[in-house]
Amino acid sequence: MLSFDDLKSIYNYDHVGPETRLFAVIGDPVSHSLSPALHNAAFATLGLDWVYVALEVAAGDAGAAVDAMCALHLGGLSVTMPHKDAVADHLARTGRLDPAAASLHSVNTVVRAPDGVLEGHSTDGAGFVASLRAAGIDPTGRA
């Protein structure tokens, strides 16, 4: 259950209006996610009229959640467990997958492309490699 302080400090409810763009993370469970706090802090710092929420989506409902992204005009969708494979399946049939998402059969980010098609991306691998390089480890050529 969200407290009044959470609504104000994490979701900036008092600044949400008809022009506010909505972004979300889907998962099951997802209530523990730090993504809303991190994203909303970044949005506020950048002066964006955007809000990021966590949506609990039951296993088996990932495709419906992606379809709802269009109906609800979400600006973007983050995907966490257990939905990464199911979203990849859904977008392989109804949208597009970037090369990493197609290769890994896993999607953690869904965006609407300029042509209106939903695209699934997998940024987990690139993020992991970047963290290794930042720690001074070059993974090139390692198996």
Side-chain angles (χ1 to χ4, degrees):
M1 173 74 70
L2 289 174
S3 70
F4 178 75
D5 287 338
D6 287 341
L7 287 173
K8 187 169 175 75
S9 65
I10 296 173
Y11 297 99
N12 301 313
Y13 85 93
D14 52 343
H15 293 101
V16 173
E19 300 301 317
T20 302
R21 291 196 66 197
L22 180 63
F23 297 80
V25 57
I26 61 169
D28 186 18
V30 75
S31 61
H32 66 283
S33 177
L34 297 177
S35 291
L38 296 171
H39 283 83
N40 288 323
F43 295 163
T45 298
L46 294 170
L48 299 170
D49 185 13
W50 297 358
V51 68
Y52 188 99
V53 298
L55 301 174
E56 187 134 338
V57 173
D61 289 339
V66 170
D67 292 341
M69 180 182 165
C70 294
L72 297 171
H73 304 285
L74 297 182
L77 194 63
S78 301
V79 181
T80 192
M81 298 307 291
H83 302 308
K84 293 181 179 193
D85 293 342
V87 171
D89 285 340
H90 187 74
L91 289 175
R93 291 188 313 275
T94 64
R96 277 194 296 257
L97 298 174
D98 78 357
S103 175
L104 296 169
H105 192 71
S106 177
V107 166
N108 70 349
T109 305
V110 182
V111 297
R112 186 184 309 276
D115 63 3
V117 175
L118 293 183
E119 291 182 340
H121 297 266
S122 179
T123 62
D124 289 335
F128 178 66
V129 169
S131 70
L132 289 175
R133 289 197 170 117
I137 301 167
D138 183 1
T140 304
R142 295 187 180 199

